[in-house]
Amino acid sequence: MKYLMLVLLFFTGTVQAQSLSESSRSVRARGMGGVLIPFVNNAEAVFYNPAALGKTAALDITLMNLIGGANEFTIDSLSEIQDIDVNDSSTFNQFFGKRIWAQASAKAAISIANLSFGYLNDAEVSTVLHNPAFPQFETYFRNDSAVYLGGAVALGPQSYLGMSVKRVNRWGGATQELGLSTISDANNIEDIGDSFDNRGQGYGLDVAVMTELPSPFKPTFAVVWEDVGSTAFTKTDGLEAPPRIEQNLSFGAGISMDLPGLDWQLGMETRHLLQSDIEIGKKLYFGTEVSLPMIDLRAGYSQGYLTYGAGVNFLILHLDAVSYAEETGVYPGQSGDRRYMVSLSIDLSFDANFNFTDNTGKKRKLKQRR
């Protein structure tokens, strides 16, 4: 069991049956309640909202974006996990019905003249111990790696149409029952992954439109249709192909203000508009961000829970952290799982004259807005 925890906390590697951009959403966005598509305007737009590539600098590079996270129970129980004895089932008692969860991702992207290329690798592991009479771990494992190619064209002043095509390699993506010995004897992530031998490759398409109205508040509206028609996988290994990624239609809106000494953004998103079986409260996200010269403060409301986040910016280096909750039940407020994430990123932007800029195209200053 202790080896599993090391894997959960330190493995970086993929995406789930939801859209890739949702499962790998940035720490900044999670701090804002999950709101992202109205505000993304750097090379990473290829993952989330390709229409926003029309607003990127002449050359924008996300050299590195590393994200790691775990849920509250995993963090609080590290010492107890070290005392587990696989031969003494009583040492597992406090873990029955408790979810152990961790996720990690790595991203990189580059955009030149409204065209962008990106790479995303996102991994997730979740396990719940149940059935006291015959203890087993209900375990979910997924590892996706994807390459993106996207671009945007202008439809009018501050209005853009964007498109991204992607190739996704998926490992796992479904839930299985694993015995105590399988988990306790694991020395690395491959040992657990061997129980999830289904692998596949799929191709997907994302389409987006967005517009920014002429106003001091810069009201922005965006519609993003990810995995148009759903992204299915062709089996490359195992008994069957991994589950498909369902299509996801989202709408986002936001306003931005440049104030003396700070910037302020306020926005909302609604996702999964085509899925009538998802409760409406789980589709709504609200958030805000106040950007000071070197510090960003964030808050939001996601699936019935408050989110809190902060970031520290120094030129090209950004460190972000967030506390948020994921609703694992059917409706908001039913069964929230409190989670924590941190990220480290390095971003570079240059204007048409190759001057160093921030991601709004202005000359670089201490204030950073991503």
Side-chain angles (χ1 to χ4, degrees):
M1 186 66 178
K2 62 183 179 182
Y3 295 115
L4 173 62
M5 292 314 304
L6 292 175
V7 168
L8 290 176
L9 295 177
F10 295 109
F11 176 74
T12 59
T14 40
V15 176
Q16 187 177 148
Q18 60 184 355
S19 61
L20 274 69
S21 69
E22 186 167 332
S23 62
S24 64
R25 197 153 285 229
S26 69
V27 170
R28 179 202 177 203
R30 294 183 189 277
M32 298 173 66
V35 179
L36 179 61
I37 61 175
F39 301 130
V40 61
N41 57 3
N42 61 359
E44 286 192 39
V46 70
F47 304 125
Y48 308 112
N49 175 8
L53 292 171
K55 301 173 60 178
T56 59
L59 173 62
D60 190 277
I61 304 171
T62 298
L63 191 63
M64 175 188 73
N65 186 344
L66 302 177
I67 300 175
N71 67 345
E72 188 172 50
F73 178 77
T74 301
I75 295 172
D76 291 344
S77 304
L78 285 177
S79 59
E80 288 83 355
I81 289 169
Q82 301 303 314
D83 297 330
I84 284 180
D85 182 357
V86 69
N87 297 313
D88 182 0
S89 60
S90 65
T91 60
F92 286 89
N93 289 341
Q94 62 182 311
F95 297 100
F96 280 105
K98 303 295 185 180
R99 182 178 302 277
I100 298 172
W101 174 89
Q103 184 176 359
S105 66
K107 290 177 283 186
I110 180 172
S111 67
I112 304 175
N114 300 347
L115 295 175
S116 181
F117 174 82
Y119 172 77
L120 165 66
N121 197 314
D122 179 73
E124 182 179 2
V125 180
S126 175
T127 186
V128 179
L129 182 62
H130 68 124
N131 190 10
F134 185 67
Q136 286 188 307
F137 286 95
E138 185 181 77
T139 304
Y140 174 84
F141 168 79
R142 171 191 50 77
N143 181 219
D144 296 344
S145 62
V147 291
Y148 285 70
L149 178 63
V153 295
L155 298 177
Q158 297 300 307
S159 296
Y160 306 95
L161 168 68
M163 181 182 301
S164 291
V165 292
K166 56 193 174 187
R167 186 188 70 188
V168 185
N169 291 304
R170 168 165 289 183
W171 176 14
T175 300
Q176 292 191 34
E177 298 286 348
L178 301 182
L180 296 181
S181 60
T182 302
I183 298 298
S184 62
D185 293 342
N187 292 310
N188 51 55
I189 192 66
E190 285 78 14
D191 290 345
I192 299 173
D194 286 343
S195 300
F196 297 83
D197 55 357
N198 292 335
R199 299 173 185 250
Q201 186 176 90
Y203 293 85
L205 173 68
D206 301 340
V207 178
V209 292
M210 73 179 304
T211 186
E212 180 181 305
L213 301 181
S215 166
F217 298 102
K218 302 178 182 177
T220 301
F221 304 91
V223 176
V224 181
W225 189 4
E226 298 170 284
D227 300 286
V228 176
S230 78
T231 297
F233 293 93
T234 300
K235 183 183 72 173
T236 58
D237 198 5
L239 298 177
E240 58 185 22
R244 68 177 61 220
I245 301 172
E246 298 297 335
Q247 60 185 346
N248 181 12
L249 182 64
S250 303
F251 169 77
I255 58 174
S256 303
M257 287 186 283
D258 297 335
L259 303 174
L262 62 86
D263 297 337
W264 178 55
Q265 293 183 318
L266 177 67
M268 63 80 63
E269 270 190 44
T270 177
R271 302 202 285 270
H272 304 290
L273 294 176
L274 300 178
Q275 279 74 45
S276 59
D277 58 329
I278 298 178
E279 208 276 335
I280 184 64
K282 293 184 67 174
K283 299 180 179 182
L284 300 176
Y285 306 84
F286 305 90
T288 187
E289 178 184 64
V290 175
S291 297
L292 302 170
M294 293 183 65
I295 298 175
D296 298 327
L297 302 176
R298 308 174 186 117
Y301 183 81
S302 170
Q303 298 186 332
Y305 304 94
L306 294 177
T307 67
Y308 313 92
V312 178
N313 310 304
F314 185 73
L315 295 178
I316 65 173
L317 187 66
H318 314 292
L319 179 64
D320 297 285
V322 64
S323 168
Y324 73 103
E326 188 78 14
E327 180 53 68
T328 59
V330 176
Y331 55 86
Q334 180 184 8
S335 182
D337 187 25
R338 178 58 57 174
R339 299 174 177 181
Y340 304 94
M341 277 189 168
V342 295
S343 71
L344 176 65
S345 61
I346 299 177
D347 301 303
L348 302 167
S349 293
F350 302 90
D351 64 17
N353 296 318
F354 214 69
N355 294 317
F356 201 30
T357 72
D358 66 15
N359 291 331
T360 60
K362 297 180 180 179
K363 215 156 207 186
R364 172 68 67 175
K365 52 185 178 179
L366 285 180
K367 183 184 296 182
Q368 302 289 325
R369 288 181 296 167
R370 305 181 304 288

